[in-house]
Amino acid sequence: GGLRGEQLRALRYENGLVVSDEKILDGIGRIREVVQGPDNWLYIATNNTDGRGTPNSGDDKIYRVKVKSTGQ
């Protein structure tokens, strides 16, 4: 996940080199943390308040995203 770039990307490595780079998600703000839960869903925490003091309706959320299996 990208805090500054505000995107979630999937990278595939072979022999220590990136062989594919795919944008998975964007448009939800600054991505602070991404973890895969025991249910195989991704949990994504955003951090958008940036010291404004009073969070707005789109700030600091946790998203749950289904992981699509590519068979690889």
Side-chain angles (χ1 to χ4, degrees):
L3 185 61
R4 184 169 185 231
E6 301 183 3
Q7 294 181 348
L8 180 65
R9 303 189 72 83
L11 304 177
R12 190 165 59 91
Y13 292 89
E14 288 181 11
N15 300 318
L17 299 173
V18 175
V19 295
S20 70
D21 178 356
E22 178 183 1
K23 181 171 56 175
I24 303 296
L25 183 65
D26 69 356
I28 62 171
R30 295 161 44 102
I31 298 172
R32 175 65 70 179
E33 183 77 28
V34 178
V35 297
Q36 185 171 2
D39 55 2
N40 289 324
W41 285 65
L42 290 181
Y43 292 84
I44 303 166
T46 63
N47 179 235
N48 298 309
T49 53
D50 294 341
R52 287 194 308 251
T54 304
N56 293 315
S57 63
D59 291 340
D60 299 348
K61 291 188 174 187
I62 295 182
Y63 295 87
R64 183 177 180 235
V65 178
K66 181 72 172 168
V67 178
K68 178 181 163 185
S69 175
T70 61
Q72 295 180 1

